[in-house]
Amino acid sequence: MRTFRTAHSRTVLLAVTALVGTLALTACQDGTGTKDEGRASAPAATTTTQASDAASAAGSGSSAAQGTGTASHSGTTSGKGSSGHSSGSASGAGGTTSTTPVLCNGANTSIKAELVSRPVDHMLLTVTNTGSRTCDLTYYPTLRFDEMQWAPGAFEESKPQAVLTLAPGQSGYAGVRLSAADGSGENGTTGHRLSVLFQGRTPRSDGGPTATVKLPAKGVYYDSKLTATYWQAGATDALTW
């Protein structure tokens, strides 16, 4: 009987020992494993923090870059200031408009008439710009001797390709056929006073003050063939017709 109890006690003791060992092993694995996992996760947390710090640094870099972009935009705004300067230049160009040629007329020119030997029965008109601004000699001179009531025509073939422009001090010329060399003209008479009318920007329009031209004391003979050329740049061209 004593032997049975002893054996039974050993069996119970071994079972308890085994159970305690199993519980101890289980507790060890759970507790230590959790602690180990906690220690393993710590570097991961550190890595996350470092990544966050790197992202923050990158964000700061981006902000700096955006600040630079703003500075660049400010530079562009400064460029717009240059546009204002260009506008000033345009305004300066607008000021240049004041140098646009005015019309040549009796107020800003002097004019003289002289009889020439060739071609016969011709006269040369010389107009000089006496003003301070460039002026345009448009079309041809309209001639009026004394109180004549008709307007002589012009040699249309003498029309230049462009309007003659005179700088201050420069001269322009017009040839005048006074009468027909073959005597075919009519109503011949002698004129003692000559007025030269200047035309405007359109044909036969008023170009401004008339010029009075001094003639020889004996006067100038003319008839119905009285004709003028368009204003020319040279005397030779003016006496071609």
Side-chain angles (χ1 to χ4, degrees):
M1 180 66 158
R2 199 176 282 180
T3 301
F4 173 78
R5 287 181 178 178
T6 301
H8 178 72
S9 297
R10 287 180 180 177
T11 302
V12 172
L13 180 60
L14 290 175
V16 170
T17 301
L19 177 60
V20 171
T22 301
L23 292 175
L25 178 60
T26 302
C28 180
Q29 289 177 346
D30 289 344
T32 305
T34 301
K35 291 180 181 179
D36 290 344
E37 288 175 358
R39 286 196 299 269
S41 62
T46 302
T47 303
T48 302
T49 302
Q50 291 176 349
S52 177
D53 293 341
S56 299
S60 300
S62 299
S63 299
Q66 290 175 357
T68 304
T70 303
S72 175
H73 179 70
S74 299
T76 304
T77 303
S78 174
K80 290 181 180 179
S82 300
S83 298
H85 179 70
S86 297
S87 178
S89 299
S91 175
T96 306
T97 304
S98 63
T99 63
T100 300
V102 297
L103 289 171
C104 298
N105 52 43
N108 55 15
T109 65
S110 64
I111 183 168
K112 67 177 182 178
E114 57 182 317
L115 297 173
V116 296
S117 57
R118 298 179 69 85
V120 295
D121 301 319
H122 273 63
M123 179 174 67
L124 178 67
L125 296 179
T126 302
V127 176
T128 302
N129 182 355
T130 59
S132 60
R133 294 180 60 181
T134 300
C135 68
D136 286 338
L137 268 176
T138 57
Y139 303 103
Y140 54 87
T142 300
L143 309 177
R144 178 177 296 169
F145 283 101
D146 301 323
E147 303 300 327
M148 65 186 296
Q149 300 299 308
W150 58 281
F155 293 105
E156 290 298 327
E157 58 270 31
S158 68
K159 183 177 181 178
Q161 294 183 349
V163 173
L164 179 62
T165 299
L166 302 179
Q170 287 187 324
S171 298
Y173 307 87
V176 178
R177 184 182 65 187
L178 295 169
S179 59
D182 58 3
S184 60
E186 300 176 351
N187 304 318
T189 187
T190 299
H192 297 278
R193 187 177 68 256
L194 174 63
S195 298
V196 175
L197 287 71
F198 296 83
Q199 299 187 55
R201 302 293 182 185
T202 57
R204 299 180 181 82
S205 62
D206 184 5
T210 299
T212 300
V213 183
K214 183 178 180 180
L215 296 176
K218 64 178 182 178
V220 174
Y221 179 84
Y222 68 93
D223 62 20
S224 60
K225 297 296 184 179
L226 179 64
T227 310
T229 68
Y230 280 72
W231 293 110
Q232 306 291 325
T236 301
D237 293 334
L239 294 174
T240 300
W241 290 270

